[in-house]
Every structure is written in C-alpha cells, then in structure tokens.
C-alpha cells in the first residue's frame, strides 16, 4: 500500500476524539499508570517519562485495546546520554561536548545514545537544544552547544545524524527533537521561559541558522519554546511556527509544544482565560502534538464541534505525526529493539571517555602543568566540594535530577570522580594523595509545596548564597582543608556549581563562586602551595580571583562519567588538552553579555568599572604545545580558506582551527566577527600542515531590515587562528 494512502485512510477513519488523542502526549510521571492506561485506550499519540516494563505495558494497551491500534511514540530527555536510566552511558553535557569542536565525536555520542534509548524500546529523544546561551545566567546554559550559531548548527546536525542514523526504521535509530523554537535562550534577564525582546530580523540572523541546518538534516521533530517574543507566546506564535518553520524552512516532521505550555497560556502568560481558546490557538499556530496539557483533549473536540476551528487543522497535525510514525516503521515494530546488552557496555564507555578527554579545556597555566613525577612532589591534596561528587560532575538531566518514578537514584558505578582519577594516575608512584572536602558549593534548603500557578506538588532544592551565621558553620571544613594543603606539595582544587544551580528554575543572578568556595580559595592561596583549580560547573562562572590565585585552571564543565579520569590525565600530562571554550567567561556578572560576536558601536566599548575583555573568550583553550599560523589564503570561486598550521612545541597535539569573517561595511550593523568554519587537525611536535576549510554563503550574508538575506559586495576580513581573540588570529582582506 502506498504510504500516503495508508495515512489518509487512517485519518478518514479517525473520530474527532481519536484525532485529539493522537495529538496528545501524556506524562506518565505525572498522571501515573492507571490514568496512562485510560489514555492508551483512547489512542493517545505519545507518552513521556516512562521506561522499562511500564512503557511496554502502555504500548501493549495502545496496540491491543485502542480502537485503531496506532502505536504510540515514547519520548524521553536523553540529552547527554540515556541518562534517566542509571545504567546508561553518561556523556558530557552538551556544553562540555561542544568544547571538543568535533563533529565526528558528537555524531558518535548521538549514535551511542540512540542505541541505548532504542534498546530500552523508546523511539524518541528530546534533543538537541539548539538555543544559544549568550547570557550564562540562564539556568539551561549547560544544555546548549554554547553561544555561537555556527558551532551550534554544526554540532546539532552531527548529533541529529547520530540519533536518527541512515534510516528511521533502523532498530537503533531514534527521532531527534531540535528545541526550543525559537529564541528561548534570549529571555530577558536570562529568566528561563520569560519574554524575549528580539525582532524577527534578529531571529533570522542569530537564532534560526542552527534550526535551518537541523531541518535540512531531516530532523524529525521540533519542540516549541516556553517563552514569548515581544508579548506573543511561542506556543501560539503563528509567524514563528507556520511562517518560519513550516513555510520557510520547509519543516516536514511534527512539532510538539513544550511541557504544559497550553495551560501556561492561561496560568502564566495570561493570554487566554479558558482551555478552549488556549487549545485552539495552539493548534491553529501549527503545534501538532501537545505535551502534558491533557485538557486539550476535550477542549479541542469542542472547539471543532462549535465550528471555531476547522477539523482540517487536526487532520494536518495528525498527518504530520502519522507520517513520522510510518517512517519509523512503528506498525511493524511498535517498540525499538536497539542492541540487547548495549546499555552501558564497554564500547559505549570508550566513547564517553573519549568525549570527556576532548572536552577538557586548559584555561591558564604558569608552567605548573603538566605535573611530572620528578620527586619534587611527594604529596598532593585534592580539595573541594566537587572533587568527589559524581552528581556535580554529571550536572542536569540524569537519574538524580529527573528520576523516573519508582527508580532508585543512588549513583551507579562505573564512574570516575576527580579524586578517583588523580588516585588512578598516581597508583604506581609513591606520591601520596590526601583529600579534604573544604566546603559545600552552596547551602541548600528544600521547598516542598504546590506550584503557585498550577497547584501541582513540587519538591525543589534551592541554592542560598547568603553570608549568614549558618553559612559560617562550614569554617571548620575550610580550616581542615587548609591543614591538609599546608602539608602538601600541590593542591588540586575542584570548585564550581552543582545540579541545584543548573537547569530549569535555576537561573542565577550571581555568577561568582557560591557558598564558602571563595573563602576556601583565599585561605588556600595564603599557604604558598601551588594550586591547580578544576572548574566542574554547568556554565561559565565569573572567577577572576580563581585565575589570579591559581597556578593553572582547567575547565571541565559537566564532563560525564569519565571526566575525573580525563582531567587527571591532563594534569599529569598523559593527555594534551585540546578543548576550546564554546562560550565566553565574564569577569563579573554585570559584564554579561560577553559573547564574542557583538555588534560594534558601544561608547568606549566597556563599563567604567570592568575590563573590556571577557575573562576567557569563545574558542580559547591552551595545550602543552603551541601552534603558529601562516599563509592564510582565500579562493573566491570555491569560498575555500587555506592556512598553514604548525605545532611549534615539543608535544604532539590537536589544534582546533577556527576561521572567522567580518563584513567591513554593511547596510545593517554586523558582528565584529562570526565563526564561519572550524576543524581539528592532529599535529606531531614540529609538524606543519595546510588546512582547507570551505565557507558557506551564510558566512558573508546579512539579514536586511526587511528580513531578506543578501551578500552585499565590498570588503570582508577573513581571520584564522587559535581562538576568537584578535591576538590569536592572522587575517586577510578580500573583496566580493
Ligand atoms: C523542557 C524540555 C523537555 C521537556 C520534557 C521541559 O520542561 O523545557 O526541554 O524536553 O520538559 O521533559
């Protein structure tokens, strides 16, 4: 049977209620199994947050007890590995993996994750996030590929390819979901889900490109953003959803709302005062599937019956959903098969280790690193709240932070914390390792109660950085750490944030070190023992003091299960660090935004009470060798850059070659530079290679005030080098 005929016949057979049900995604973690079974009998199109036997039971009910037996598609947030399953392989966060600038690696991560998700039977992951994190106060910074549209687009495509494979029918392929459409990361004040003060011109210029690439790569699903643009919630933003996504980008998969956003239209955003209007507007704007807002089911049926909405709107949505289900082969195989035994298998762990290694970013080093076993160092103190805390190392979206009901949440081995990694590296030496906790990342308190708007019960952990009496109760731990450090020849200090400071509901107004961490650092720095600080955090923190008081700083972000081993390998020179920052670090919170590709035109370009430059810029990252750039050329016909890169040090390394473009004069203001291409190149000590990189038209085009895209003739500067910083680049001028 021709596939379209099959779907059209099915749609013709469906009742209005069955169409509404097909458009619904029910959260099993919220409604429980009994209610989930009821929905399954009604023929609900999708469920989320359920794994294992419960999921299989729901699919059985859908396939045996619903009238039309259209298999449901199950979704899960497998955003850095299939992390809600505690036996799964846990990768670095998206932000950490972005530090690799390695498309191939990111595709592999996608493939491994898909295989593990599929082995569970699940067919869909809500990943990747293609929002840009240009204001790191945003709680979800860790979930992004960083601040740059080009990097986010390239790595987004890589992970989508990994998730979806060659064929959606493949037993180990799952649907990808590019999210959140659109501009979500730009919420004013970095307040998650808040209004966004951007124009559609800006959207096309900055935020659409990664989504365009995702659509071109065949991403099967896209998720709408929580927020609003200039007062219009994305959930009902016809111009964004139908105009940009469907009509212009030609998206042919299905579009799902974010969590309960149809109800948010009533309860939070207050653009509707009843479920009928909210449901109608969400469907009319182009959402095909409604996450969680189960009131939609009755409300939309009534809207159609009352003639307020054409039934064809529902038909169109159902068509999008069924087409993807058909492409997945759900009727033949209602659950994915994956590869039995592959969840958390050795081969997958190897990829996690590789990813951890590639995401290590060396930010500063006065020569203390790499640490050699040359008898000068007899004892090493590993200190700090994040030195031996796997939860902090993992960050958000794991079985700790989002436990699937009924599952245990104790840490599951194997994993390697920094303390364990250091011990591993020193096991065959006579260097002694001592450990001291030092202080907590923050003082925490728990809130148990009901959400003010939905009435739903919540249990939330809040971070509290207040300097009150309670807080100073930690002083004995600081003193103990100082005593341990005083007896040692080197301090490895693990600072940062933890999962209570990352994710939804956890935007930060202060990006400084929280809790007693600053005090701990100050005390340790008076002891004249060299300090190597390792930042285990979900995002850039404003840490000028850490840089000043440390002899070296390594940024690991949330590096996944083997991050502790990878960082320790870097400390002891077994690994030559190669990671680069996918996001800039501010000197202080008030300096944000500090993303590298700003528009020119600010009087003096700085605040009077803060340096002009960020603490660390996009693309920065040291290694134990140096790279020299020369011979930069550009071929206008093929738009290809070529540049010679030489490893001038005495250690083999991997350089991330970065190419930036500036449009010198344009009819609208353009960024001082934009990343236009990158690649990695292996260089042995002393070796030189010529690297060629092809640039897209987008590298030279601008978006005019009328929202059209054009390449304006004139001069362009092409820059190539080690980071986004002027001093790290060589440049040439070209005319078009
Ligand atoms: C998040 C999404 C996520 C969804 C389902 C929402 O709160 O914004 O990114 O996929 O929940 O868990």
């Amino acid at each position: 049977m021709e596939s379209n005929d099959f779907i059209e016949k099915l749609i013709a057979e469906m009742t209005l209620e069955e169409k509404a049900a097909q458009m619904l995604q029910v959260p099993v973690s919220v409604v429980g199994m009994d209610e989930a079974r009821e929905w399954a009998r009604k023929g609900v199109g999708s469920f989320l947050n359920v794994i294992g036997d419960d999921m299989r039971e729901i699919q059985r009910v859908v396939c045996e007890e619903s009238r039309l037996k259209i298999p449901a598609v199950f979704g899960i947030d497998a955003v850095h590995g299939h992390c809600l399953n505690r036996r799964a392989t846990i990768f670095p966060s998206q932000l950490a993996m972005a530090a690799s600038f390695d498309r191939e690696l990111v595709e592999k991560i996608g493939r491994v994750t898909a295989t593990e998700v599929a082995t569970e039977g699940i067919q869909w992951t809500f990943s990747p996030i293609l929002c840009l994190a240009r204001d790191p106060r945003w709680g979800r910074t860790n979930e992004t590929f960083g601040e740059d549209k080009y990097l986010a687009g390239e790595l987004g495509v890589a992970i989508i390819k990994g998730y979806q494979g060659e064929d959606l029918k493949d037993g180990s392929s799952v649907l990808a979901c590019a999210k959140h459409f659109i501009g979500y990361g730009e919420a004013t004040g970095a307040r998650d889900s808040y209004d966004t003060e951007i124009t559609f011109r800006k959207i096309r210029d900055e935020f659409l490109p990664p989504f365009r690439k995702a659509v071109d790569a065949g991403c099967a699903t896209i998720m709408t953003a929580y927020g609003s643009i200039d007062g219009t919630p994305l959930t009902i933003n016809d111009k964004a959803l139908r105009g940009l996504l469907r009509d212009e980008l030609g998206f042919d998969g299905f579009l799902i709302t974010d969590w309960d956003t149809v109800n948010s239209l009533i309860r939070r955003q207050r653009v509707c005062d009843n479920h009928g209007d909210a449901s109608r507007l969400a469907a009319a704007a182009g959402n095909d599937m409604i996450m969680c807002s189960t009131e939609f089911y009755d409300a939309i049926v009534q809207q159609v019956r009352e003639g307020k909405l054409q039934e064809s709107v529902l038909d169109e949505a159902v068509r999008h959903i069924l087409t993807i289900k058909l492409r997945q082969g759900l009727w033949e195989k209602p659950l994915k098969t994956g590869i039995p035994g592959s969840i958390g298998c050795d081969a997958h762990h190897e990829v996690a280790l590789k990813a951890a290694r590639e995401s290590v970013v060396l930010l500063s080093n006065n020569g203390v690193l790499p640490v050699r076993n040359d008898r000068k160092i007899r004892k090493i103190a590993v200190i700090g709240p994040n030195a031996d805390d796997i939860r902090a190392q993992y960050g958000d979206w794991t079985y700790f932070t989002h436990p699937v009901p009924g599952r245990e949440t104790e840490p599951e081995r194997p994993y390697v914390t920094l303390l364990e990694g250091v011990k591993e590296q020193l096991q065959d030496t006579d260097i002694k390792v001592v450990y001291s906790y030092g202080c907590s990342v923050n003082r925490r308190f728990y809130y148990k109660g009901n959400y003010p708007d939905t009435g739903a019960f919540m249990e939330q952990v809040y971070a509290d950085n207040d300097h009150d009496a309670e807080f100073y109760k930690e002083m004995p731990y600081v003193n103990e750490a100082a005593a341990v450090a005083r007896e040692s020849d080197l301090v490895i200090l693990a600072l940062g944030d933890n999962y209570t400071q990352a994710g939804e509901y956890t935007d930060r107004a202060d990006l400084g070190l929280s809790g007693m961490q600053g005090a701990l650092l100050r005390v340790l720095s008076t002891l004249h023992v060299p300090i190597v600080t390792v930042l285990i955090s979900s995002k850039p923190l404003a840490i000028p003091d850490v840089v000043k008081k440390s002899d070296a700083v390594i940024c690991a972000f949330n590096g996944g299960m083997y991050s502790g081993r990878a960082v320790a390998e870097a400390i002891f020179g077994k690994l030559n660090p190669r990671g680069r920052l996918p996001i800039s670090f501010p000197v202080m919170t008030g300096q944000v935004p500090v993303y590298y590709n700003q528009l020119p035109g600010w009087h003096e370009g700085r605040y009077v009470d803060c340096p002009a430059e960020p603490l660390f810029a996009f693309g920065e990252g040291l290694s134990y060798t140096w790279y020299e750039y020369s011979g930069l050329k550009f071929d206008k016909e093929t738009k290809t850059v070529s540049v010679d890169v030489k490893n001038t040090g005495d250690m083999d390394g991997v350089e991330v070659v970065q190419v930036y473009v500036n449009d010198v004069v344009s009819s609208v203001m353009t960024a001082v530079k934009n990343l236009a291409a990158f690649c990695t190149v292996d260089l042995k000590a002393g070796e030189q290679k010529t690297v060629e990189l092809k640039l897209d038209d987008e590298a030279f085009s601008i978006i005019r005030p009328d929202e059209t895209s054009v390449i304006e003739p004139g001069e362009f500067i092409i820059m190539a080098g080690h980071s986004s910083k002027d001093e790290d680049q060589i440049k040439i001028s070209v005319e078009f």
Side-chain angles (χ1 to χ4, degrees), residues 416-482:
V416 182
T417 65
L418 179 60
L419 174 64
E420 293 166 346
V422 170
K423 284 184 179 162
E424 268 181 8
Q425 291 304 308
L426 297 177
Q427 62 193 350
D428 297 327
T429 71
D430 50 10
I431 298 175
K432 229 177 132 197
V433 179
V434 281
Y435 164 69
S436 182
Y437 173 65
C439 67
S440 59
V441 160
N442 53 52
R443 198 165 65 78
R444 289 177 286 161
F445 66 88
Y446 292 86
Y447 172 80
K448 273 192 182 190
N450 296 328
Y451 277 103
D453 51 354
T454 62
F457 182 74
M458 76 163 180
E459 187 172 346
Q460 182 89 29
V461 185
Y462 287 96
D464 176 15
N465 303 331
D466 280 354
H467 293 243
D468 58 15
E470 181 76 10
F471 177 78
Y472 283 103
K473 282 192 185 148
E474 290 208 334
M475 217 48 214
Y477 298 113
V478 173
N479 291 337
E480 184 192 296

Side-chain angles (χ1 to χ4, degrees), residues 78-92 97 108-109 111-117 120 341-356 394 397-399 412-415 559-562:
V79 305
H80 55 117
H82 180 32
C83 303
L84 272 49
N85 177 323
R86 66 201 175 102
R87 295 209 169 73
T89 306
I90 299 191
F91 289 103
M97 69 176 91
K108 242 184 233 156
I109 292 174
R111 199 60 201 155
V112 168
T113 303
T115 303
E116 298 200 3
V117 168
E120 181 96 49
S342 68
I343 296 182
C345 67
D346 290 350
H348 290 181
H349 282 195
E350 276 303 311
V351 183
L353 179 58
K354 182 173 162 59
Y394 281 167
W397 290 113
T398 65
Y399 56 95
E412 181 82 19
R413 294 273 175 187
Y415 56 76
M561 61 202 306
Y562 291 118

Side-chain angles (χ1 to χ4, degrees), residues 299-331:
I300 204 74
V301 167
Q302 204 180 336
Q303 289 290 304
V304 176
R305 294 239 156 89
E306 287 172 5
K308 293 184 179 151
L309 184 73
Q310 299 278 328
E311 188 164 349
S312 59
V313 173
L314 273 60
D315 291 345
E316 188 199 12
V318 169
R319 189 172 293 118
H320 290 146
I321 296 166
L322 296 185
T323 303
I324 294 296
K325 287 187 174 180
L326 192 70
R327 279 176 56 202
Q328 276 196 299
L330 281 199
W331 278 270

Side-chain angles (χ1 to χ4, degrees), residues 25 48-49 76-77 79 126-127 129 140 143 177 179-180 184 192 223-224 226 257-259 291-292 397 402 504-505:
Q25 183 181 60
L48 83 158
N49 286 357
I76 199 154
D77 289 278
V79 305
F126 304 128
S127 174
I129 276 203
R140 304 189 73 171
E143 294 181 57
C177 182
K179 66 189 188 183
H180 308 82
Y184 178 43
D192 187 41
M223 189 184 292
T224 316
Y226 271 130
T257 70
D258 203 344
W259 184 282
M291 190 191 287
C292 297
W397 290 113
H402 294 76
E504 296 174 57
Y505 300 92

Side-chain angles (χ1 to χ4, degrees), residues 424-685:
E424 268 181 8
Q425 291 304 308
L426 297 177
Q427 62 193 350
D428 297 327
T429 71
D430 50 10
I431 298 175
K432 229 177 132 197
V433 179
V434 281
Y435 164 69
S436 182
Y437 173 65
C439 67
S440 59
V441 160
N442 53 52
R443 198 165 65 78
R444 289 177 286 161
F445 66 88
Y446 292 86
Y447 172 80
K448 273 192 182 190
N450 296 328
Y451 277 103
D453 51 354
T454 62
F457 182 74
M458 76 163 180
E459 187 172 346
Q460 182 89 29
V461 185
Y462 287 96
D464 176 15
N465 303 331
D466 280 354
H467 293 243
D468 58 15
E470 181 76 10
F471 177 78
Y472 283 103
K473 282 192 185 148
E474 290 208 334
M475 217 48 214
Y477 298 113
V478 173
N479 291 337
E480 184 192 296
V484 166
R486 195 173 287 118
E487 302 286 298
S488 304
D489 306 304
L490 177 76
V491 170
I492 298 175
L493 178 62
L495 303 176
D497 63 14
N498 72 19
Y499 66 97
T500 64
Q501 294 159 302
E504 296 174 57
Y505 300 92
T506 55
D507 311 318
R508 289 182 64 178
D510 180 358
L511 291 171
L513 284 177
S514 54
M516 290 288 273
Q517 295 184 92
L520 174 66
L521 173 73
R522 277 195 296 281
V523 170
L524 296 180
S525 69
T526 60
L527 304 175
H528 305 293
V529 179
I531 299 177
V532 173
T533 299
V534 179
L535 193 71
I536 297 173
S537 69
S538 64
K539 56 170 60 174
L541 296 177
I543 47 165
D545 235 33
V546 173
V547 179
K548 253 183 252 145
K549 293 186 164 65
S550 305
D551 294 84
V553 178
I554 291 176
C555 170
F557 290 128
N558 299 123
M561 61 202 306
Y562 291 118
S563 182
R565 177 176 299 163
V567 173
E569 287 175 349
I571 291 174
F572 296 101
K574 197 168 153 195
L575 171 77
N576 191 359
R578 49 162 285 184
R580 297 299 154 78
L581 287 182
I583 189 164
S584 306
F585 273 53
V587 173
M588 57 174 84
T589 312
Q591 196 193 21
V592 297
V594 288
Y595 55 84
Y596 78 96
N597 49 354
Q598 309 231 349
L599 300 182
W602 184 17
H603 279 173
E604 294 300 322
R606 53 165 295 196
Y607 295 101
V608 292
D609 50 2
C610 181
E613 303 303 328
L615 189 61
F616 298 107
F618 178 85
E620 262 194 270
L622 303 170
S623 71
Y624 299 141
T625 186
W626 287 267
Y627 301 98
E628 206 174 81
Y629 283 72
S630 61
L632 177 59
K633 294 190 200 81
F634 180 66
D635 182 314
K636 259 195 262 180
E637 292 309 308
T638 58
K639 294 208 178 67
T640 302
V641 167
S642 86
V643 64
D644 302 328
V645 188
K646 183 169 185 189
N647 179 344
T648 58
D650 54 12
M651 197 169 180
D652 299 351
V654 179
E655 168 71 334
V656 176
V657 179
Q658 302 165 44
V659 173
Y660 295 81
V661 172
N662 168 241
D663 189 343
V664 178
V665 178
S666 38
S667 60
V668 286
M669 288 157 64
T670 49
V672 291
K673 59 183 71 167
N674 269 318
L675 183 67
F678 65 85
C679 70
T680 57
V681 53
D682 287 42
L683 289 167
K684 299 221 171 305

